[in-house]
Amino acid sequence: MSTNHATIYDLHSHTTASDGELSPNALILRAKAADVDVLAITDHDTIAAYASIDTSILGGLTLIAGAELSTQWNKKNIHIVALNIPLTCNAFNAFIARQQQSRIERATIIAEKLAKKGFKDILPGVLAKAGKSAIGRPHFAQQLLEIGAVRSTEEAFKKYLGNGKTGDVKQTWAPLEEIVGGIRDAGGTAVLAHPLKYRLTRSKLHQLTYDFKAAGGEAIEVVSGKQDIIKSNELAKLCVQKNLLASCGSDFHQPGKSWAEVGKHSRLPEQCTPVWDRW
Ligand code: AMP
Ligand code: MN
Ligand code: MN
Ligand code: MN
């Protein structure tokens, strides 16, 4: 194995346990092929991926136990990446189970709302699409595509599921303080995921990072996926200003398409203190 490079950390990625396309083992092999040294699998509101990992394939790859938790702040759906979480702790598993319950309740509400738009009885199909994976809006997008309501999953998000649309249901998610506090109480590290994806004004973004830190949050995702370097530098500034640590990740979901490739995000700007410095 080549060790002739700076350590590559990818602390945000998805598998078939939520809305990713690759199985946990396939993701690990892909990360290794991309020279990733430290990988966190961070599926939406589930840690199920970790139960199916074949540790014999890890080789020199270090796995950080993680999850991407959905929460509600200021009527927005905000994502918190939890790192170094205790996978076998009963209290933490109960915390994750509540998140899954919120996903199921939310799916029912989304289906009711879409029924009012004329798409009746789509929930059974959506549940079948999700199978054992954490049910999410991408499964609704697939079902809307299958019934011919849209021509692509992108169109499904644009018309029915994305920010501010009918299917953008937030009320089932626990408040930010509860999620960040729960991660902290479990001994994990809470990271504010992709801060620029919420389309907040500057002052709202400052308010969010303030509330996040007050709740026990420790880091912000300064580098996320294909985000351009100018934006990463802005987030680096915010990170230093708020005295928070910095994280980075691809947010990989599937090969090709619009998602970043695992391990291929840019490195953290130098002025940031990496979240792994305290590990
Ligand atoms: P959920 O976790 O159920 O709230 O769904 C959010 C997920 O949907 C994100 O993590 C993405 O994987 C996916 N997603 C969000 N916006 C889009 C979009 N415009 N096109 C395709 N997928 C999207
Ligand atoms: Mn996703
Ligand atoms: Mn996210
Ligand atoms: Mn993600």
Side-chain angles (χ1 to χ4, degrees):
M1 196 182 79
S2 100
T3 48
N4 220 356
H5 63 76
T7 307
I8 298 178
Y9 290 82
D10 189 338
L11 302 179
H12 189 155
S13 64
H14 295 273
T15 74
T16 46
S18 66
D19 57 7
E21 194 177 281
L22 303 185
S23 70
N25 290 323
L27 172 67
I28 286 168
L29 293 176
R30 199 171 182 91
K32 284 177 68 177
D35 277 339
V36 171
D37 299 287
V38 182
L39 176 73
I41 297 176
T42 56
D43 279 305
H44 296 286
D45 302 296
T46 177
I47 52 175
Y50 290 91
S52 66
I53 289 169
D54 172 5
T55 51
S56 74
I57 66 170
L58 287 174
L61 182 79
T62 301
L63 257 192
I64 300 287
E68 181 176 16
L69 303 183
S70 306
T71 174
Q72 198 190 157
W73 175 85
N74 221 339
K75 300 204 172 84
K76 292 234 173 210
N77 176 201
I78 303 293
H79 288 174
I80 305 294
V81 165
L83 299 174
N84 273 324
I85 47 179
L87 296 175
T88 56
C89 164
N90 287 339
F92 190 75
N93 277 274
F95 178 68
I96 289 286
R98 278 198 298 278
Q99 289 294 95
Q100 281 306 315
Q101 195 52 41
S102 300
R103 278 198 170 262
I104 292 162
E105 283 166 22
R106 185 185 65 151
T108 309
I109 299 171
I110 295 174
E112 283 165 7
K113 291 193 156 208
L114 288 174
K116 286 188 190 142
K117 291 260 169 191
F119 308 117
K120 308 255 182 257
D121 293 323
I122 67 165
L123 193 55
V126 176
L127 289 168
K129 290 261 169 344
K132 286 185 182 160
S133 312
I135 190 165
R137 283 178 281 171
H139 302 116
F140 278 91
Q142 287 165 22
Q143 185 63 16
L144 287 171
L145 178 63
E146 189 174 295
I147 64 172
V150 290
R151 281 157 297 176
S152 65
T153 52
E154 286 74 19
E155 190 185 336
F157 272 93
K158 213 168 171 180
K159 280 191 170 163
Y160 303 112
L161 301 164
N163 266 349
K165 303 293 176 192
T166 315
D168 180 23
V169 172
K170 284 113 15 182
Q171 67 262 34
T172 62
W173 298 126
L176 181 80
E177 293 68 28
E178 211 172 286
I179 294 303
V180 173
I183 296 166
R184 184 203 49 208
D185 292 348
T189 304
V191 181
L192 177 62
H194 43 64
L196 298 181
K197 277 210 174 162
Y198 312 117
R199 301 201 200 132
L200 301 171
T201 60
R202 242 194 117 59
S203 71
K204 279 268 160 55
L205 180 57
H206 277 259
Q207 188 62 46
L208 172 60
T209 50
Y210 181 88
D211 291 350
F212 168 74
K213 192 174 176 181
E218 293 183 68
I220 68 176
E221 218 168 54
V222 166
V223 168
S224 169
K226 290 179 172 172
Q227 175 178 284
D228 74 56
I229 211 104
I230 295 169
K231 290 189 166 151
S232 299
N233 285 333
E234 277 171 25
L235 287 173
K237 241 168 99 179
L238 178 68
C239 188
V240 170
Q241 200 181 354
K242 300 281 184 195
N243 203 13
L244 286 158
L245 301 169
S247 188
C248 62
S250 60
D251 202 1
F252 174 78
H253 280 70
Q254 64 192 127
K257 302 243 177 119
S258 54
W259 295 105
E261 187 49 69
V262 63
K264 297 299 182 198
H265 50 287
S266 54
R267 306 284 82 88
L268 277 182
E270 278 193 2
Q271 66 264 45
C272 306
T273 307
V275 66
W276 51 84
D277 269 15
R278 61 182 283 284
W279 295 343

